[in-house]
Amino acid sequence: MGKVAIGAAVVCGIAVAAAAAVVVHRKTKKSGRWVKAMEILKEFEEKCGTPIPRLKQVADAMIVEMHAGLASEGGSKLKMLISYVDHLPTGREKGLFYALDLGGTNFRVLRVQLGGKGRGIVNQQFEEVPIPPSLMTGSSDALFDYIAAELAKFVAQEGSDFKQSPGRQRELGFTFSFPVMQSSIASGTLLRWTKGFSIDDMVGQDVVAELAKAMERQGLDMRIAALVNDTVGTLAGGRYNNNDVDASVILGTGSNAAYVERAHAIPKWHGLLPKSGEMVINMEWGNFRSSHLPLSDYDHALDTESLNPGEQIYEKVIAGMYLGEIVRRVLCRMAEEAAFFGATVPPKLEEPFILGCYLLKSAPM
């Protein structure tokens, strides 16, 4: 299963070539321009090639890194983070719960009423809120105050069709989709930012504590019950509906995977083995890198000019935040060398990240 998932993710790089190919089919008046444009596209397509033997090499390299990451902290490009989630939902859960999902250029707030065994999700509401670009590179207080204020507005709109148990404090599950070193189910230290975020004063801090302080400043009476990565959350959601789900993959703004590992197969785990005998592992596979990955000159240039050069290479090859930018760079070269859009390069095309790319958000398996 692991090799299939890894192979499927790498194949997504072909989507870049396909997207460029669709654009190339526009009519051109001069055959010379067409020929040059096709040469550029063909070169790019070859660089993105992922024949089955190469996919197997990538899969084998990732498996080696997985074992190294499970053996010790810092021993691999893959963090293989222990999530402290040793029990997954059964479908019998009951009550009102809130969730906050922060992991890209938008964040989501959700409330859900669970009806217990046989009833599933009785009612749910959610809102998606864009994050101003200035907050992605500002201060931690500014970011979390903005999020807490929007969360407070959402809670204030709670209707009578959502039933909170008398005397029970509202509980929040916090999905934080960045590399975090957890020390418990409800605490974790930010290791680094990804996906275009760069807030220096937050690195090394407990993200749950920062959110809790912002919520307190908003007068919001709510307990943060759990901190999970979005991939772990996707896995939990999949297990809620299907007891056979053991892994999940995110292909959205960024990319990641999580799966259920046997607890005794995690050498770096030094605590008591959980009663379930299992532990969910957050791979943080976006940081994977191998000489077998199909990297083009456009990939190398994008990485060099990014906020985190040399990091998150796998994510930069397959994730939605970067695929549109790769296509833009291909089109820019076509415009410059093949006059594909006429005598001049369209000004909009020279703006980095002007092209978006929308991918499947999550997939339990």
Side-chain angles (χ1 to χ4, degrees):
M1 178 182 68
K3 291 189 178 183
V4 173
I6 295 165
V10 175
V11 170
C12 287
I14 296 297
V16 181
V22 171
V23 177
V24 164
H25 278 291
R26 59 172 281 158
K27 294 181 179 180
T28 55
K29 295 181 179 179
K30 296 182 180 179
S31 61
R33 286 158 55 184
W34 170 265
V35 170
K36 181 59 179 177
M38 290 305 295
E39 286 178 357
I40 292 171
L41 181 63
K42 184 65 175 177
E43 175 190 335
F44 178 53
E45 185 179 7
E46 290 174 352
K47 287 285 188 178
C48 291
T50 51
I52 296 301
R54 170 171 274 188
L55 290 179
K56 288 182 177 178
Q57 290 175 322
V58 172
D60 290 341
M62 184 173 280
I63 290 171
V64 170
E65 293 293 334
M66 289 172 68
H67 286 299
L70 290 173
S72 63
E73 299 295 351
S76 167
K77 300 179 186 71
L78 302 181
K79 292 292 185 181
M80 303 300 288
L81 299 172
I82 295 170
S83 70
Y84 288 85
V85 175
D86 55 16
H87 287 85
L88 288 167
T90 63
R92 296 189 293 270
E93 292 75 16
K94 188 175 182 179
L96 173 63
F97 302 93
Y98 277 81
L100 167 64
D101 178 9
L102 172 61
T105 52
N106 301 301
F107 70 90
R108 285 158 290 277
V109 287
L110 165 80
R111 56 176 150 255
V112 59
Q113 190 82 45
L114 301 181
K117 185 177 181 180
R119 296 190 65 199
I121 297 174
V122 176
N123 199 3
Q124 65 177 322
Q125 292 177 336
F126 78 95
E127 288 185 8
E128 187 162 335
V129 183
I131 299 175
S134 61
L135 293 182
M136 297 172 65
T137 56
S139 69
S140 58
D141 281 353
L143 175 63
F144 282 109
D145 281 345
Y146 177 73
I147 291 170
E150 294 296 327
L151 175 60
K153 292 178 189 176
F154 183 72
V155 173
Q157 297 167 0
E158 180 181 295
S160 59
D161 48 344
F162 288 90
K163 310 275 186 217
Q164 176 69 25
S165 300
R168 181 177 175 181
Q169 187 182 27
R170 290 185 180 86
E171 292 184 315
L172 176 74
F174 183 20
T175 299
F176 186 76
S177 309
F178 301 92
V180 166
M181 180 64 69
Q182 289 195 233
S183 51
S184 72
I185 190 63
S187 63
T189 301
L190 176 64
L191 297 175
R192 68 176 181 275
W193 290 104
T194 57
K195 309 173 195 174
F197 282 76
S198 182
I199 304 173
D200 292 341
D201 68 346
M202 188 62 230
V203 177
Q205 301 300 312
D206 185 338
V207 296
V208 173
E210 293 300 313
L211 175 60
K213 286 188 288 187
M215 289 165 56
E216 186 177 350
R217 288 193 290 268
Q218 291 292 328
L220 189 56
D221 183 22
M222 181 176 283
R223 183 177 75 90
I224 304 173
L227 171 68
V228 296
N229 180 273
D230 61 343
T231 325
V232 177
T234 297
L235 175 55
R239 180 65 71 88
Y240 180 81
N241 293 302
N242 185 338
N243 287 332
D244 292 329
V245 169
D246 282 321
S248 62
V249 171
I250 297 290
L251 282 172
T253 303
S255 183
N256 194 13
Y259 72 101
V260 179
E261 180 62 90
R262 296 162 298 165
H264 69 266
I266 310 173
K268 68 180 180 181
W269 173 258
H270 301 302
L272 295 174
L273 291 178
K275 292 181 181 180
S276 66
E278 298 178 335
M279 180 65 70
V280 175
I281 297 296
N282 166 20
M283 290 179 61
E284 289 297 335
W285 81 0
N287 201 44
F288 173 68
R289 183 168 190 168
S290 166
S291 60
H292 301 299
L293 284 177
L295 299 177
S296 68
D297 292 342
Y298 308 101
D299 294 299
H300 289 297
L302 184 150
D303 175 52
T304 299
E305 297 167 22
S306 69
L307 291 172
N308 54 347
E311 298 179 0
Q312 301 299 114
I313 300 301
Y314 191 51
E315 183 171 81
K316 289 170 183 173
V317 172
I318 66 175
M321 179 171 181
Y322 304 101
L323 293 186
E325 173 63 7
I326 294 294
V327 172
R328 185 194 70 82
R329 289 168 182 260
V330 175
L331 293 176
C332 271
R333 185 179 170 197
M334 288 180 174
E336 292 166 355
E337 298 182 19
F340 191 67
F341 296 98
T344 60
V345 179
K348 276 288 184 182
L349 197 59
E350 295 182 314
E351 295 181 24
F353 293 93
I354 191 66
L355 296 182
C357 179
Y358 298 92
L359 296 174
L360 173 70
K361 172 60 179 172
S362 58
M365 58 187 66

